[in-house]
Amino acid sequence: MTTSTLDTGTGYGRPTPAHNARLTEVGPGTPMGEALRRYWHPIASSDTLVSGALPERTQVLGENLVVFRDGQGRAGVVFERCSHRGASLYYGRVEDDGIRCCYHGWKFDVEGRVVEQACEPGGGLKRDKARQPWYPVEERYGLVFVYMGPPEHKPALPRYDALEDLEEGEQLYATWPVPHAAITGMPSDFNWLQNYENGADPTHVTWLHSTHSGFQMMGTGTFGYPKQFFDPTTISDRITYERTEYGVKYIHRFDPPSESGDATELGFMVELQLPNVFGLPDFTTVVPDARHDQMMWVVPSDDTSHRIFFSIRTRDPERVNRFAFGIAQDGKQNFEMSEDEKHRTPGDAEAQSSQGPITLHSEETLVSADRGVVMLRRMLLAMVDDVEAGREPINISRDENLVRRSDSGVITTQSKSRNDESDSTAAARV
């Protein structure tokens, strides 16, 4: 008699996959959308938003907006759809005191007030009865920020120590050195959280950016990070995670090559500050214990796309190029590659976008290496819960002078004489 073993574990009959809407959906009225509307978000680079130039179309938190700078230098953010007859203000004309619709000539100032109704008697005798929907803006760190939440809950625009108190010769740079991202940020066609939580996932660096696709960070093994930094067999023992006052951080410990008698252990430290901000150390050059110099923002456009903004404090403009182009795939930038080349040596864009427009959280199998991602998600859900319950969410302040510390950078975690270090201690530290 022949017996057979039932083949189990196939894909048949699995529950319908689903994403966690409370974490990912950002439109008006959604839990995360309402939570994110309690914070300021960058919408444009200040330097490239030129006074009097054509308006720029963009999307933030599922809303279609136009950003412009009038002839007096004031930045404005208004709804794209004209409140008169619905034509797009993207096709409007920016003038000294506002933006004028192409269809019938209505002109609105940076706060949506109707300055003139061109085809009405007297320029619109009752124009005060109409108003274009608008949002408050402020500028800081080379960026234009917008607040899209309840006016009564508007917080102070945050300050970060990494970008304050410029030293002699330092400047702030906040413009991507690529044309399609120069004004309204670097776009990507997948959910914002897939990019943001990547910042809490250090183990992907040891596999995606090295073992799988070859070393992708500029200077690896020479002036950059040592190859030991990327060792996937020891990574679980070299990373620690912790909750901070503002969010989540990890420290990725490594031993750089040393020609001296000192054995110095360094830590690559990244902190994510809720809801969508993080500091990333210089990933092309190892400079221990230097003042951190950069912050990034992941801004949802809608549920399935987002934009990245940054600001860097530096004396050297090349720092921006090293940041923008310091990770390469087989020596090329992502936009220079064919699909076959991306297939062979994928990077962040391929990995994150391949999760889908919104990743299916019900299909995930989380493990110990995902601890940072789990911590971040729990804090984001707590933020959503707080807003729904009428409580103030994390990182909201109305103190204009408060400067937040950013725990990011390369730090010395241990330093001692190599001669005093026993073999057993060295083995324990990997």
Side-chain angles (χ1 to χ4, degrees), residues 74 120 147 152 180 244 296 320 335 348-349 363:
R74 300 174 299 182
E120 290 295 296
Y147 175 73
E152 66 273 18
H180 72 280
T244 70
M296 296 178 68
V320 177
F335 60 84
D348 280 322
E363 298 290 281

Side-chain angles (χ1 to χ4, degrees), residues 155-360:
L157 180 62
R159 294 181 180 273
Y160 302 95
D161 64 349
L163 304 175
E164 293 281 327
D165 301 324
L166 299 186
E167 298 175 1
E168 185 176 356
E170 289 184 331
Q171 297 182 51
L172 288 168
Y173 296 85
T175 300
W176 287 98
V178 289
H180 72 280
I183 302 178
T184 55
M186 181 67 74
S188 292
D189 291 330
F190 50 90
N191 186 259
W192 72 282
L193 189 58
Q194 286 155 230
N195 193 314
Y196 188 45
E197 65 187 14
N198 183 70
D201 176 17
T203 56
H204 90 276
V205 177
T206 67
W207 195 265
L208 176 66
H209 292 316
S210 55
T211 308
H212 185 89
S213 296
F215 293 115
Q216 295 184 335
M217 288 163 58
M218 181 191 299
T220 297
T222 55
F223 60 84
Y225 288 80
K227 293 181 180 180
Q228 176 261 358
F229 178 87
F230 302 92
D231 185 354
T233 66
T234 62
I235 190 64
S236 61
D237 295 325
R238 293 188 287 114
I239 294 180
T240 55
Y241 304 86
E242 63 181 89
R243 179 168 176 166
T244 70
E245 179 182 1
Y246 302 117
V248 174
K249 78 175 180 182
Y250 73 79
I251 300 177
H252 177 164
R253 301 184 308 280
F254 66 101
D255 294 332
S258 175
E259 298 179 359
S260 69
D262 293 333
T264 301
E265 181 185 78
L266 301 180
F268 184 93
M269 183 166 62
V270 175
E271 182 187 32
L272 286 77
Q273 297 193 7
L274 270 63
N276 59 343
V277 189
F278 68 105
L280 188 65
D282 188 332
F283 46 77
T284 66
T285 308
V286 181
V287 184
D289 304 313
R291 181 184 170 192
H292 184 53
D293 66 353
Q294 177 255 22
M295 300 298 288
M296 296 178 68
W297 291 259
V298 182
V299 181
S301 299
D302 56 19
D303 294 345
T304 59
S305 63
H306 65 275
R307 293 176 182 267
I308 302 291
F309 295 85
F310 74 92
S311 184
I312 291 176
R313 186 201 78 253
T314 184
R315 294 183 179 89
D316 180 11
E318 278 301 307
R319 170 74 174 98
V320 177
N321 287 328
R322 293 195 299 271
F323 160 73
F325 306 124
I327 295 180
Q329 297 167 238
D330 198 20
K332 293 184 177 182
Q333 292 301 305
N334 186 269
F335 60 84
E336 299 174 319
M337 301 177 71
S338 67
E339 286 304 313
D340 181 66
E341 290 172 321
K342 293 177 183 179
H343 193 185
R344 295 175 185 278
T345 56
D348 280 322
E350 287 71 45
Q352 293 168 29
S353 64
S354 69
Q355 293 174 286
I358 309 179
T359 195
L360 301 171

